Every structure is written in structure tokens, then in C-alpha cells.
Amino acid sequence: MQWAARTTNVKLPSENQSTFETTDSEKKVLTLLLSIGFVTLLFATFFDKNVTSAVMDQNSIFGNIFQNYADQGAGIVLFTAFEIIAWTIWRRVQGNILKYVMTGGALIFAFNQMLAILQDMLSYTYSMLNNLSKGIPMGVANNTSAVANYPEPLRWSAAIILTILLSFVFFNWLKDKNNAAISYLLNAALIGIAVVFIAQTTIGDMKALWGRFRPYEMTTISGNTMSEFTPWYHLNGVNGHNSFPSGHTMSGWLFLYLTFFVPRGNISLQKKMTIFGIAMGILTGLSRVQIGAHWLSDVTVSSMLVGLIIFMASRLLTAHFVETRSSLN
């Protein structure tokens, strides 16, 4: 009886906490985007070749800008995550040696992401300039041939300078935040790393398995320029071709995850970052079709997959894309 009396007032965690629920606005936007995705995929099933023939332009400024500089969503999410982890360690770990080693290790991971971001940007830029110097379309074969064609000292010096400057920014941004805010950001960082890994692995494995020729690769086939075309649902197996699904589109949509690094009380900035993320995903996908790097179905499937991965991750994080006053309360 004494034990029963002592436990009468004990409540389970579920009784103390409100249930996290998807907001009506999130349901509407998710339904709208998925509906557009399914309709677009159905259209692309029959008209992939027609769309490419109508819009493909490897001299497109729009296509080249997004090819060169919109492929950084994954790297930016990872850089942000490792910076948050580094300065959380700095605040919470006791013991000077351990603190310095762990913080330094996390910053090295952040620096490595900056190197990767700059490698992509510089290689595509130098490849574009090299194409222009040869009098060929500036977007030709950038997807596969843009490798180490830039001065390595330029990349390393830029990475060192940018990492130092941004580390200073992150340190100052995090130093005055309370423990609850830091714990939330740490969770967002860890889940963000998982999101990038899952997205890259999923898209990468599908690329290899499908073995689909890119639109611009069709121009290298003598005779019938579409002789190597296969519909999106046809698996060719591992053959060195990797058009389906689109990797750039994946990275474009990963900009959407950045909204979860915005403080939960800053609703205005959350709205702006959500709009920015959706816009980057859509525009990157459209640019890939115009430059002839992907078919419409490639970018549509990538958009739907990565969008769903980010949405499911937000449920795990228990954070809305845009918080409401009631959800904050």
C-alpha cells in the first residue's frame, strides 16, 4: 500500500508532453508537392525525349550557374553540422586536452567539407572556362569530366580562410545560447549528417543500378541521337552511366534542411529558409534538364525521394519547417 501511494502521482513521459503533429500547412504543401511530382513523373514517362529536345541548351547561363554552384547543399549541411558539433563539444566537454582534441577533430571534418565544396565549385568553373576557350558549349560533359583542373593551392588557401572565418561566426553564434537551444541544434546536426548520408547513398546506388544514359550522351551516338534512350523505369545495370536519379537535384533539395538550423523562435527566418530550400530544389532540377545533364524523370524522382527523406527527418527531430506560436508553446 505504501508503494502504491508513492507511485500514484507518477506520470509517464507521454502524459507530460504534447504529441508532435504535422501542421495543416505542412500537410497541404507536402500533398501539393507530391501531387506535382507524380503528375510530372507520369508526363515524363511518355515525353522525356520531347522535353529534352525542346529545352536542352548546353550554353544556358541558367543551367551553367546551377551546375557550377548549386551542387553544394549536401556539403553546406555537413559543414554546418560539424561546426555545431565542434562548438558544442567546446562548451560541454571537461578537461582541456580532451576538449581541444575533440573540438579540433570536429573542425577538421568541417574543413574537409569546405575542401569538397570548393573542389566542386572550382572544377565546374574551370571546366566551363576551358570549354569556352575551345569554342564549345560551356556546359558540355561537366558532369563527369570536371575533375582536378584547378590550382590546388587556390582551393586549400580558400578552404583554410573560409573555415577560420566561418568557425569564428559559428562560435559567436553559439556561445550565448542556452542549453536547450544547444541540445536542439546538436540533434539537428546529427540528424542532418544522417540525412545527407541516406540521400547520397540512395541516389548513388540507384544511379549505378539504373545505368541510364544522360541526354548529352545521346549526342555521341552516331546515327540515331536517341538510340541509347531508356525510360526511367528500365534498369540497365552497372554500365558507367548514371543519369537516374539526379545527384545535383538531390543536393539542391538538401538546402531545405538548413531551415532546421534556424532557432525555433525565429519564425520569419524559418519561412524564408523554407522558401529558399524549395526554390533551390526546383530550380536546380529544372536547370539540369535545360543543360542536358538529366531527363525530366531523373530530377522528378530525385526531388520526391530527397523531399520525403527530409520530411521524415523533421518528424524525428520533432521540428516543423515553420513553427507556429501554438507549437512553440
Side-chain angles (χ1 to χ4, degrees), residues 28-323:
K28 290 177 182 177
V29 173
L30 180 64
T31 301
L32 175 63
L33 291 176
L34 285 177
S35 298
I36 293 173
F38 280 117
V39 171
T40 304
L41 184 58
L42 179 62
F43 177 82
T45 301
F46 300 99
F47 299 107
D48 254 348
K49 290 190 289 186
N50 304 75
V51 171
T52 289
S53 298
V55 305
M56 180 174 168
D57 177 13
Q58 291 191 297
N59 271 319
S60 165
I61 300 297
F62 167 65
N64 275 278
I65 288 175
F66 276 83
Q67 175 162 261
N68 296 355
Y69 311 117
D71 192 28
Q72 316 310 326
I76 291 173
V77 169
L78 291 177
F79 180 87
T80 302
F82 286 125
E83 285 284 345
I84 290 171
I85 292 171
W87 299 119
T88 300
I89 291 171
W90 183 262
R91 282 182 50 154
R92 292 186 172 181
V93 173
Q94 301 298 318
N96 287 337
I97 295 178
L98 186 60
K99 175 189 291 189
Y100 280 106
V101 170
M102 292 181 67
T103 302
L107 290 176
I108 288 173
F109 278 109
F111 173 71
N112 186 60
Q113 289 305 313
M114 183 59 69
L115 281 174
I117 290 169
L118 290 172
Q119 177 180 351
D120 242 26
M121 294 175 67
L122 289 171
S123 62
Y124 280 119
T125 300
Y126 272 76
S127 180
M128 179 187 70
L129 295 174
N130 184 54
N131 289 341
L132 287 172
S133 69
K134 294 179 178 179
I136 61 177
M138 55 185 169
V140 169
N142 272 358
N143 310 84
T144 53
S145 66
V147 291
N149 51 6
Y150 50 83
E152 274 294 333
L154 173 63
R155 181 171 72 115
W156 278 80
S157 58
I160 291 170
I161 293 170
L162 287 171
T163 301
I164 291 173
L165 291 175
L166 290 172
S167 294
F168 179 77
V169 171
F170 275 101
F171 172 79
N172 283 281
W173 177 53
L174 294 168
K175 70 177 182 180
D176 295 325
K177 294 195 177 299
N178 59 37
N179 286 330
I182 290 294
S183 294
Y184 164 77
L185 287 170
L186 180 60
N187 287 336
L190 294 173
I191 292 175
I193 293 171
V195 164
V196 173
F197 174 78
I198 292 170
Q200 289 181 332
T201 302
T202 301
I203 299 300
D205 288 351
M206 290 179 69
K207 277 178 173 292
L209 184 61
W210 255 257
R212 193 183 194 189
F213 281 73
R214 297 178 185 272
Y216 75 73
E217 291 175 323
M218 297 290 117
T219 62
T220 65
I221 308 298
S222 60
N224 182 3
T225 57
M226 290 289 180
S227 61
E228 295 294 338
F229 174 82
T230 52
W232 68 268
Y233 50 81
H234 184 274
L235 278 68
N236 298 314
V238 179
N239 59 10
H241 299 277
N242 51 11
S243 184
F244 181 88
S246 168
H248 269 72
T249 304
M250 170 202 72
S251 207
W253 276 101
L254 285 173
F255 280 102
L256 180 59
Y257 190 83
L258 294 176
T259 189
F260 299 114
F261 293 129
V262 177
R264 291 297 87 191
N266 195 340
I267 294 175
S268 175
L269 185 54
Q270 290 164 22
K271 290 179 180 177
K272 294 174 183 177
M273 288 302 298
T274 300
I275 293 171
F276 171 73
I278 293 174
M280 284 298 294
I282 294 173
L283 291 173
T284 302
L286 293 175
S287 73
R288 301 305 283 158
V289 177
Q290 183 170 40
I291 206 170
H294 287 285
W295 309 96
L296 180 60
S297 55
D298 297 342
V299 305
T300 302
V301 170
S302 183
S303 297
M304 295 171 70
L305 286 175
V306 180
L308 285 172
I309 290 171
I310 295 172
F311 178 78
M312 289 186 288
S314 71
R315 305 308 91 175
L316 178 62
L317 184 59
T318 64
H320 298 291
F321 289 87
V322 180
E323 301 291 349

